[in-house]
Amino acid sequence: PLHHVDIAIPCNNKGQNSVGLMWWLLAREVLRLRGVIPRNTEWDVMVDMFIYRSPEEQEKDEKESSEMAGFGSEQIQGGDDSWANGSAAPGEWEATATAGGDWGEGTPSDSWADASSGAAWE
């Protein structure tokens, strides 16, 4: 089966992406052999350029992305106004924050640092 074939490159040829990747690898290697791009630098061409996408699929993706661009523009219906009728008006937030007291209230006066500073470490 390989009569009159100069070179055969074994690769996965079942998937669309794998064929595109092999074209990308071959194109990059040809450019390197010709001296167009040096071997010590990366090739800035993306693999996506070598993968065929049908126009219908591209239109579908563009339509989905345009729908996502309008995310959050619709009005939410239903629900209740429990957050709208808060207990404190915006100007009274400071008063309600200090009404609860200090967070450290009610804690024991002995801290773990005082307990561990004893002679146990000496």
Side-chain angles (χ1 to χ4, degrees), residues 29-49:
E29 190 61 29
V30 166
L31 290 176
R32 286 180 174 176
L33 288 173
R34 289 181 181 172
V36 175
I37 58 172
R39 289 202 176 268
N40 58 358
T41 60
E42 288 189 28
W43 195 27
D44 59 350
V45 176
M46 297 180 62
V47 180
D48 298 347
M49 299 294 293

Side-chain angles (χ1 to χ4, degrees), residues 5-121:
V5 174
D6 293 334
I7 186 170
I9 302 172
C11 66
N12 177 7
N13 60 0
K14 300 292 181 190
Q16 179 181 2
N17 295 338
S18 61
V19 174
L21 176 64
M22 285 308 299
W23 277 110
W24 182 82
L25 288 170
L26 285 171
R28 183 184 66 170
E29 190 61 29
V30 166
L31 290 176
R32 286 180 174 176
L33 288 173
R34 289 181 181 172
V36 175
I37 58 172
R39 289 202 176 268
N40 58 358
T41 60
E42 288 189 28
W43 195 27
D44 59 350
V45 176
M46 297 180 62
V47 180
D48 298 347
M49 299 294 293
F50 290 86
I51 298 174
Y52 174 76
R53 294 183 61 197
S54 66
E56 293 84 19
E57 183 181 341
Q58 287 179 345
E59 288 175 5
K60 184 179 76 170
D61 289 345
E62 289 173 2
K63 181 180 177 186
E64 288 175 0
S65 65
S66 66
E67 289 175 0
M68 292 302 286
F71 181 88
S73 62
E74 65 275 354
Q75 295 292 327
I76 299 173
Q77 297 185 8
D80 59 0
D81 291 332
S82 60
W83 291 99
N85 299 328
S87 60
E92 300 173 358
W93 287 350
E94 294 173 2
T96 57
T98 57
D102 187 21
W103 285 23
E105 272 184 13
T107 58
S109 61
D110 296 333
S111 69
W112 62 272
D114 293 337
S116 65
S117 66
W121 292 100

